């Protein structure tokens, strides 16, 4: 395994373990208080976050308008043992303090219920999109959209083509006990790493003042902390090996399950053994190359991240509430032009505390199931969820141009052209989302795609040095093109 590959996998796993895994008195205190919160069986969390955007790249103007006007609040109650949840989300007018309901989410352990009318109205106030009006009309008198375990399992089975995987994913969404066990495993992993690997390591990040813990970190300070953490990890790679394998079981495998990806055949643990062996035999070489790599990226990091900063506090109060605050200053610059693409501040505060048993009021009337809603929207689940998760599908909003691949890992905005009343798609951009290589025949002045050794030429209009094709033209390459009239979205698979 080459150094670069070993570094990549090692860094990914170390990020999962967290750079706050260290053993000063303050760091142990912070860990134990976090663990205390996570072990609450029934709890309520109330909070508010406020986003102020100074600069945002083109396409984000709607978000700036929204966050200039409103901050957002939430009240969440959770019963981990009985799989019950009741969440209310609100928008608060920054000018006059007026609060409006945005969304309510309930779960009784067997069904989810979502009330979206406030959200629909809020979006309608800030966009020109007509879908919100269409959805309101389709909802009619219904106030809640419901989704049962059975419905979710059925939809996931259609989406991923795997009944067993669909059952596993449904369990993650409905069985809070699964989440609790997962969180318990995560805490055990961190605790074991602190005791057995990082017992002689301190970050110096976390400060303690009584029952209050805090840390502050700038983008410029983050790199030295990461370098110190990774160098210590390399020096103790033999002890770290079992922790890395546990991280795969606790983080990677459940994440892949949630994404609909099977991880059994990836042999990630074998990769850990190779990393431990290679790094263990060449520690100084790896540290030298690692430090050189980060030295090369230090200037670029400063240029891209600017004076970004995070301030965080966690405190247990005298009335047994756990209060957290986060203050983020975010400055992102384009790496090539150095122009600001986002500048803003995010402030958030939450308070979590134990509560007595509670029940949720389940709406027995004025509900519409997710299957019935899809039917009303003219969506055929068998076609809508026909997705090849190797990336061979793409969904495009013909109004906004927002497009994403079937895997969901690749998204962009494409320039859709309307020519003589028909929608034309930019061939190269869509081809990249589909994983196709779009070629150009300079003699014929025509684009083509190679399939099974055959060159398939497409009828295109060249506009501004880009080829645009009618949606149905991609059927020549073997794709199915499905257009949803209600949403004006096209799915190509």
């Amino acid at each position: 395994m080459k150094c670069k590959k070993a570094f990549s996998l090692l860094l990914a796993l170390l990020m999962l373990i967290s750079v706050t895994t260290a053993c000063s008195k303050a760091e142990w205190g912070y860990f134990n208080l976090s663990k205390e919160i996570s072990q609450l069986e029934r709890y309520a969390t109330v909070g508010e976050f406020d986003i102020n955007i100074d600069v945002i790249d083109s396409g984000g103007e709607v978000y700036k308008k929204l966050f200039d006007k409103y901050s957002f609040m939430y009240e969440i109650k959770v019963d981990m043992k009985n799989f019950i949840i009741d969440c209310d989300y609100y928008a608060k007018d920054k000018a006059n303090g007026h609060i409006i309901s945005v969304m309510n989410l309930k779960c009784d352990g067997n069904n989810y219920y979502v009330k979206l009318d406030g959200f629909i109205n809020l979006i309608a106030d800030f966009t020109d999109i007509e879908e919100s009006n269409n959805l309101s009309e389709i909802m009619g008198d219904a106030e809640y959209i419901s989704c049962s375990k059975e419905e979710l399992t059925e939809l996931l089975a259609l989406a991923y083509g795997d009944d067993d995987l669909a059952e596993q994913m449904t369990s993650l969404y409905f069985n809070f006990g699964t989440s609790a066990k997962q969180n318990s495993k995560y805490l055990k992993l961190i605790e074991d790493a602190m005791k057995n690997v990082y017992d002689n390591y301190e970050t110096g990040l976390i400060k303690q003042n009584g029952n209050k813990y805090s840390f502050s970190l700038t983008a410029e300070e983050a790199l030295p902390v990461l370098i110190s953490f990774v160098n210590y990890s390399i020096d103790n790679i033999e002890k770290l090996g079992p922790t890395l394998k546990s991280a795969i079981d606790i983080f990677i495998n459940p994440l892949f399950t949630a994404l609909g990806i099977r991880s059994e055949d990836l042999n990630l643990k074998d990769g850990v053994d190779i990393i431990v062996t290679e790094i263990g035999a060449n520690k100084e070489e790896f540290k030298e190359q690692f430090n050189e790599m980060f030295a090369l990226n230090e200037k670029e990091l400063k240029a891209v991240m600017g004076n970004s900063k995070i301030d965080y506090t966690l405190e247990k109060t005298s009335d047994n509430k756990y209060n957290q605050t986060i203050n983020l200053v975010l400055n992102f610059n384009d790496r090539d032009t150095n122009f600001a693409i986002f500048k803003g501040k995010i402030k958030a505060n939450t308070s979590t505390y134990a509560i007595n048993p509670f029940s949720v009021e389940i709406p027995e009337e004025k509900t519409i199931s997710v299957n019935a809603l899809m039917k009303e929207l003219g969506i055929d689940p068998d076609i809508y969820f026909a997705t090849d998760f190797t990336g061979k599908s793409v969904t495009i909003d013909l109004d906004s141009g927002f497009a994403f691949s079937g895997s969901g890992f690749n998204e962009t905005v494409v320039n859709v052209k309307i020519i003589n009343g028909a929608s034309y798609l930019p061939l190269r951009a869509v081809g990249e989302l589909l994983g196709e290589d779009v070629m150009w025949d300079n003699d014929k002045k025509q684009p083509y795609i190679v399939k099974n050794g055959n060159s398939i030429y497409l009828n295109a209009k060249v506009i501004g040095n880009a080829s645009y094709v009618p949606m149905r033209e991609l059927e020549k390459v073997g794709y199915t093109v499905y257009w949803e009239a209600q949403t004006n979205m096209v799915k190509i698979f």
Side-chain angles (χ1 to χ4, degrees):
M1 182 181 291
K2 295 180 180 179
C3 289
K4 186 176 291 186
K5 291 183 179 179
F7 278 143
S8 299
L9 184 51
L10 176 63
L11 286 175
L13 291 170
L14 289 178
M15 291 304 97
L16 295 176
I17 297 172
S18 168
V19 294
T20 57
T21 304
C23 291
S24 69
K25 180 181 177 182
E27 286 158 340
W28 267 112
Y30 170 76
F31 170 79
N32 288 328
L33 193 55
S34 301
K35 182 178 178 180
E36 196 174 306
I37 298 172
S38 71
Q39 291 176 336
L40 293 174
E41 193 170 86
R42 284 182 297 272
Y43 63 89
T45 297
V46 297
E48 180 176 2
F49 65 90
D50 183 15
I51 300 176
N52 291 287
I53 299 174
D54 299 318
V55 177
I56 192 167
D57 202 7
S58 60
E61 294 82 1
V62 170
Y63 299 107
K64 178 169 171 53
K65 286 171 56 181
L66 178 66
F67 292 122
D68 280 349
K69 184 173 178 60
Y70 293 109
S71 62
F72 291 86
M73 307 166 63
Y74 51 89
E75 298 177 2
I76 301 171
K77 291 193 295 184
V78 177
D79 185 331
M80 299 291 290
K81 185 176 181 179
N82 297 302
F83 323 139
I84 298 173
I85 187 168
D86 194 357
C87 308
D88 287 295
Y89 301 89
Y90 307 93
K92 184 172 77 172
D93 193 305
K94 293 182 181 180
N96 56 31
H98 179 64
I99 297 174
I100 59 174
S101 175
V102 174
M103 184 173 70
N104 173 252
L105 171 69
K106 304 174 186 287
C107 181
D108 63 358
N110 295 301
N111 301 275
Y112 275 100
Y113 301 88
V114 185
K115 190 172 187 287
L116 289 172
D117 53 339
F119 176 77
I120 294 170
N121 293 334
L122 187 69
I123 295 302
D125 288 342
F126 285 89
T127 68
D128 298 324
I129 298 175
E130 296 182 0
E131 276 82 351
S132 57
N133 293 329
N134 294 337
L135 186 56
S136 295
E137 292 175 6
I138 289 169
M139 292 282 290
D141 294 332
E143 295 181 353
Y144 283 87
I145 302 170
S146 67
C147 183
S148 67
K149 281 184 179 179
E150 292 75 19
E151 285 177 311
L152 182 59
T153 302
E154 180 182 338
L155 292 175
L156 290 172
L158 285 173
Y160 295 99
D162 189 320
D163 292 341
D164 292 337
L165 185 60
E167 291 280 357
Q168 293 177 42
M169 295 175 71
T170 299
S171 177
L172 288 175
Y173 298 128
F174 273 94
N175 188 343
F176 301 151
T178 301
S179 300
K181 290 178 182 177
Q182 194 67 20
N183 190 58
S184 178
K185 291 178 181 178
Y186 162 72
L187 292 170
K188 184 68 167 57
L189 172 73
I190 298 299
E191 187 170 10
D192 287 347
M194 292 173 73
K195 289 179 178 178
N196 302 322
V197 183
Y198 297 96
D199 48 324
N200 292 313
Y201 175 75
E202 297 182 12
T203 65
L205 289 177
I206 298 176
K207 310 299 181 184
Q208 180 180 2
N209 183 7
N211 285 330
K212 185 175 184 178
Y213 299 87
S214 62
F215 73 82
S216 179
L217 189 67
T218 66
E220 187 173 350
E221 294 166 340
L223 196 56
V225 173
L226 179 59
I227 290 172
S228 170
F229 181 71
V230 175
N231 281 334
Y232 183 94
S233 301
I234 290 174
D235 282 334
N236 294 271
I237 191 67
E238 293 84 2
K239 292 194 294 183
L240 185 58
T243 300
L244 296 178
K245 288 186 176 182
S246 295
I248 290 172
D249 286 332
I250 294 169
F251 292 103
I252 302 296
N253 293 341
L255 174 62
F256 281 0
T257 297
L259 294 172
I261 302 170
R262 288 194 175 277
S263 58
E264 292 88 344
D265 300 327
L266 297 180
N267 297 321
L268 293 177
K269 290 186 178 181
D270 291 342
V272 169
D273 289 333
I274 295 172
I275 287 175
V276 170
T277 300
E278 288 200 14
I279 293 180
N282 304 280
K283 290 181 181 180
E284 294 307 315
E285 178 185 350
F286 270 81
K287 285 197 293 184
E288 182 180 348
Q289 293 188 33
F290 170 79
N291 292 331
E292 288 177 357
M293 178 179 68
F294 272 87
L296 292 172
N297 292 322
E298 184 175 8
K299 185 177 180 179
E300 182 177 334
L301 177 68
K302 291 178 182 178
V304 172
M305 298 291 290
N307 61 340
S308 297
K309 181 182 180 182
I310 178 172
D311 293 299
Y312 172 82
T313 67
L314 170 62
E315 179 180 19
K316 184 177 182 180
T317 64
S318 58
D319 55 352
N320 290 322
K321 290 185 177 180
Y322 305 91
N323 296 334
Q324 299 178 71
T325 65
I326 298 176
N327 289 304
L328 283 172
V329 176
L330 298 175
N331 291 295
F332 297 122
N333 304 311
D334 185 275
R335 59 183 296 178
D336 297 319
T337 65
N338 205 35
F339 290 151
I341 55 179
F342 182 90
K343 284 188 176 183
K345 297 181 177 68
I346 301 175
K347 294 183 178 181
N349 61 79
T350 65
S351 182
T352 301
Y353 49 91
I355 58 175
N356 293 321
F358 68 96
S359 60
V360 292
E361 185 178 346
I362 298 302
E364 297 181 359
E365 299 178 350
K366 295 186 176 182
T367 66
I368 183 171
S369 71
V370 66
N371 281 339
L373 180 62
M374 292 179 73
K375 184 177 180 180
E376 290 293 331
L377 288 169
I379 298 173
D380 183 342
D382 288 315
I383 296 178
Y384 184 79
F385 289 111
T387 301
D388 178 348
F389 283 88
T390 61
K392 294 293 186 179
S393 72
V394 64
T395 302
I396 304 170
D397 184 329
L398 296 177
D399 292 322
S400 67
F402 179 72
F404 58 91
S405 64
S407 64
F409 295 139
N410 197 2
E411 60 184 46
T412 187
V413 175
V414 299
N415 187 14
V416 179
K417 299 285 188 184
I418 305 298
I419 303 174
N420 296 327
S423 295
Y424 279 66
L425 305 177
L427 180 59
R428 187 167 298 280
V430 174
E432 288 177 356
L433 288 170
L434 290 168
E436 301 288 359
D437 289 325
V438 177
M439 313 298 288
W440 176 258
D441 189 321
N442 201 44
D443 293 331
K444 295 184 177 181
K445 306 298 182 188
Q446 196 174 2
Y448 66 93
I449 292 174
V450 177
K451 278 285 190 182
N452 300 320
N454 298 317
S455 297
I456 302 173
Y457 284 84
L458 303 173
N459 294 320
K461 293 185 180 294
V462 178
I463 304 173
N465 294 322
S467 297
Y468 289 81
V469 296
M471 295 187 305
R472 301 290 177 188
E473 191 71 7
L474 290 165
E475 292 177 347
K476 291 181 179 179
V477 192
Y479 289 99
T480 297
V481 179
Y482 173 65
W483 175 59
E484 297 169 8
Q486 290 277 4
T487 61
N488 200 28
M489 296 182 74
V490 62
K491 187 177 184 69
I492 303 166
F493 57 96

